[in-house]
Amino acid sequence: MLQRVQSLCLFSSGIISLLILVYPPILELNGIVFVLKDFNNLIPPGSLLFSAVLSIYTIFQYRRRKLQMILTKLARLLILVCIVSLFLQIKEDINIRYGFYLLLIPFLTLLLAGYFIKKDEDLVKSADRIR
């Protein structure tokens, strides 16, 4: 069901999360650039990876919209855990790079997916009332 708008949002969230996990620099300390997978703390990359997998898995739950809404909320929560745990690691001598701000893109696409799933659910409920 990749033709639905929420499926496209969930797919893009998963792919962007995986790309953020591997490629863009997140923090810089004394000229050393850190990518998310290089952290000693496993919470930020683990939560982002689990959010990406959860986003991809949620696409295939298209018949169970209430479960889809719960899973998108959980994926958003995991991205927030990643952002907050990275924010707590920032000290005075650490520079924030653009990869830190790119974490907002999957969060926003999950917000859009949740909106469209809710809209779908409301449409189905209104069709049930007409019958």
Side-chain angles (χ1 to χ4, degrees), residues 63-74:
R63 292 181 189 242
R64 298 164 48 185
R65 286 172 298 280
K66 290 184 181 184
L67 178 66
Q68 258 190 336
M69 285 191 277
I70 292 169
L71 292 177
T72 55
K73 288 177 185 177
L74 182 63

Side-chain angles (χ1 to χ4, degrees), residues 41-121:
N41 187 358
L42 293 178
I43 293 174
S47 64
L48 191 63
L49 178 65
F50 190 60
S51 173
V53 170
L54 198 60
S55 296
I56 300 296
Y57 173 73
T58 306
I59 295 171
F60 301 106
Q61 301 300 315
Y62 57 89
R63 292 181 189 242
R64 298 164 48 185
R65 286 172 298 280
K66 290 184 181 184
L67 178 66
Q68 258 190 336
M69 285 191 277
I70 292 169
L71 292 177
T72 55
K73 288 177 185 177
L74 182 63
R76 276 194 317 234
L77 179 71
L78 288 170
I79 290 176
L80 270 177
V81 165
C82 178
I83 291 171
V84 168
S85 62
L86 283 173
F87 190 70
L88 291 176
Q89 291 181 2
I90 295 175
K91 298 179 177 90
E92 293 176 12
D93 53 346
I94 294 179
N95 295 327
I96 299 174
R97 299 294 298 259
Y98 67 91
F100 187 82
Y101 301 111
L102 286 178
L103 288 170
L104 295 176
I105 294 173
F107 185 80
L108 293 175
T109 56
L110 285 171
L111 271 174
L112 279 174
Y115 170 74
F116 287 118
I117 293 168
K118 175 125 176 57
K119 196 172 173 183
D120 236 12
E121 182 67 21

Side-chain angles (χ1 to χ4, degrees), residues 6 12-13 19 22 27-28 32 34 36 39 42 47 53 56 63 79 83-84 92 97 106 118 123 131:
Q6 59 264 33
S12 65
S13 172
L19 288 175
V22 177
L27 301 173
E28 180 182 4
I32 300 171
F34 290 100
L36 197 57
F39 280 90
L42 293 178
S47 64
V53 170
I56 300 296
R63 292 181 189 242
I79 290 176
I83 291 171
V84 168
E92 293 176 12
R97 299 294 298 259
K118 175 125 176 57
L123 182 66
R131 284 193 236 167

